Amino acid sequence: MTLNFSLPHETIYAGAEVSQVIIPGEAGEYGVTVNHVPIISQLQPGVLQIIHEDGGGETEKYFVAGGYALTHENSVTDVTCPEAVKLDDIDPDAVSKNYDTAKTAHASAELGSLAQAEAQIEMETNKAMGAAIGLTLA
């Protein structure tokens, strides 16, 4: 199958031949291989896994905060995200600190305010990022 994986500021893969892509879809995680039925999915914060054909099936993992995936009839999958970070590049201490900061901001914000909504998104994103690297944030 062919993978196109893009961010607004960078193209990670363009026309890359891969064995499989495991996508954190809004309705649940799903895998895409060659001849997959066409599907469009909104991504939830989670881990996007790319299993390469060469290199003995090596898996490359990225944390994505959201975005969209579109699988076409011709075994091409396009993944577009506002941001993606390799799991190996995530600093657990920074994730914990950002989560705690967002949690404090959420608790002190006015109920139903924009500030509370933004803090809620920040909490959920950092919680998902923490889960991706084995942290439990509460």
Side-chain angles (χ1 to χ4, degrees):
M1 69 167 285
T2 304
L3 174 65
N4 299 313
F5 182 21
S6 302
L7 311 176
H9 59 280
E10 175 185 10
T11 298
I12 296 173
Y13 287 110
E17 291 302 316
V18 300
S19 178
Q20 182 179 14
V21 180
I22 300 172
I23 298 170
E26 188 66 34
E29 184 178 84
Y30 65 97
V32 177
T33 58
V34 71
N35 295 323
H36 194 282
V37 297
I39 185 172
I40 298 173
S41 178
Q42 182 175 351
L43 305 183
Q44 66 180 353
V47 179
L48 177 79
Q49 300 177 61
I50 303 165
I51 302 169
H52 294 276
E53 289 181 348
D54 56 355
E58 176 187 335
T59 301
E60 191 174 9
K61 297 179 181 182
Y62 289 86
F63 177 80
V64 295
Y68 291 91
L70 171 61
T71 298
H72 305 271
E73 288 182 18
N74 61 354
S75 295
V76 173
T77 295
D78 299 318
V79 177
T80 304
C81 303
E83 193 61 57
V85 180
K86 279 191 171 187
L87 290 191
D88 294 341
D89 295 339
I90 296 174
D91 178 357
D93 293 332
V95 172
S96 293
K97 181 180 176 187
N98 291 343
Y99 178 79
D100 290 341
T101 300
K103 190 173 179 180
T104 301
H106 183 268
S108 65
E110 182 181 332
L111 185 64
S113 68
L114 177 61
Q116 188 182 45
E118 289 173 340
Q120 178 72 34
I121 292 167
E122 189 71 21
M123 284 173 50
E124 290 173 5
T125 300
N126 279 282
K127 190 171 187 177
M129 190 180 296
I133 59 172
L135 290 178
T136 302
L137 302 172

